[in-house]
Amino acid sequence: FCEEGESAKTADRRRFQEMLGYCDQHRGEVDVVVVYSFSRFARQIEDHAAARVRLRRAGIDLRSVTEATDDTPAGRLFETFLAGFAQFDNETKAERTREGMKAALKSGRWTHQAPLGYLTAPEEARSPCLLHDPERSAGVVQAFELFASGCHTKAEVLRRVTAAGLRTKRGKVLTPQALNEMLRKPLYCGWMVSPKFEIRERGDFEPLVTEEVFYRVQKLLSGDRPAARRHVRDNPIFPLRRFLRCGACGTPLTGARTTSRGRGYDYYFCPKGDCRAVKSTRPERLHSLFADLLGQYAVSPGYARFFLATVEDVWRKKCEAAESQQRDLRRKQAKLRDDEVRSTEAFACDRTIDLRAYNALKKSLAERSAEVKWALESSAICCSVEGVLRFAEGVIVAPEKFWKEAALGTKLRFQSLVFPDGIAYQGSGFRNAATSPVFKALRVAASQDVGLASPTGFEPVLPP
């Protein structure tokens, strides 16, 4: 049983297991298993012992061509010693490999496979370790810049870069998972990060994107993205188009204008040819029914003030925590600037450190400064919510009025906020629809006749 290119680090090897299975099936026919050396049999003493017991139960002995052992107590002890030494040798090599990888990473050399958009430099080349892939680097840069603009979803970015010709190194189309992993790799902005070795070092290669673009992408991936631009198909005459579905066949309703005797008439209808459940419904009627439905989610002014006072109190505490974090980060930033000045003075004036130590210290301070700067940008929040709360009060007290008076883009976002999955219309009314948790809770509150005392836990205390 020959094993070609397989390591003996594990017993879960195809040919090794086939050999053990053969021995089990041919008991009495096999006297001995011969190996070149015990290190090729197994490199874990537990695997060696388990396989040895299995062979012994089948009445089969184990012998090595290059290591003399026999079936005496001394021979078995020597075999156990050799098995343990094979494991020790394997673990020692693995440790040397890990230390070599850590040393290479700390010196700015990438030790793993080159990611999409890069090529591994030839071994004889001293620097850099990664080169830009002339076939794929432009597509990778395009993906980062498109997503960093905030105007495109990941699906849209994937469609665009795929249409532009970006493929994997095996010539396949990128999957959404592969795109997501690519957008999160700090290697593309020049940083080598290894959580396993707790290393974060600047690489000796040229980044594909700037840190500004990369961190902008990270913020958008974490959910901090502006609303995507709405397609021009949206029409202010038909704000419920594609939002409402036909109650009979489930097809999204559409809208159109017909002309008769020189006059134009607007209608919502089901576009499915053989469906007649929703046809020629005037916008005025449908909009009035939808506004009435939104009115069912209105809350009393008193409950609105209580609810928004709770939000304001929670937000104020969040702002206080954020401001405290910002102060700590600014102190760290100031200290790092002082350290940079002192290190320069120690090198240029006092001569207490040499050039090598100065460069290492300067690199470390630059990395820490970049981390603090990113943390400052990430922790910044707007603590002024008075205008937002006043606006929200008008929305939850009279949602139907807000929807009627809003601009088209706001209408579309608001109706999707209240009913994330849209609503089915049956010609005479709406079916029950899934409602967002906030408006569902507000509707329950509005349906209960509860007298609310002034909440004394908030400042200022509200009037009863």
Side-chain angles (χ1 to χ4, degrees), residues 5 26 37 53 64 75 114 122 183 247-248 250 254 275 279 292 360 376 411 422 434:
H26 295 80
S37 69
V53 169
S64 166
L183 293 175
T254 188
C275 180
K279 57 180 181 179
D292 292 343
L376 270 169
K411 267 189 172 75

Side-chain angles (χ1 to χ4, degrees), residues 26 69 89 113 120 128 131 244 323 368 419 435:
H26 295 80
T69 59
D89 181 63
Q113 182 181 7
T120 302
L131 304 174
L244 297 181
E323 289 171 355
R368 290 159 58 191
F419 304 105
T435 313

Side-chain angles (χ1 to χ4, degrees), residues 128-149:
C129 61
L130 296 177
L131 304 174
H132 290 186
D133 186 342
E135 294 183 11
R136 300 174 181 87
S137 59
V140 172
V141 173
Q142 182 186 20
F144 272 95
E145 292 179 346
L146 285 173
F147 194 76
S149 70

Side-chain angles (χ1 to χ4, degrees), residues 6 8 97 107 157 177 188-189 314 411 425 444:
E6 285 194 81
T97 301
S107 67
V157 171
Q177 294 79 9
Y188 289 108
C189 71
V314 173
K411 267 189 172 75
Y425 177 69
V444 171

Side-chain angles (χ1 to χ4, degrees), residues 55 77 86 127 184 208 214 226 232 239 264 286 288 290-291 313 360 427 433 457:
L55 291 175
L77 175 62
S127 183
R184 294 184 181 275
L208 279 176
F214 178 79
V232 293
L286 203 50
S288 177
F290 184 70
D313 185 68

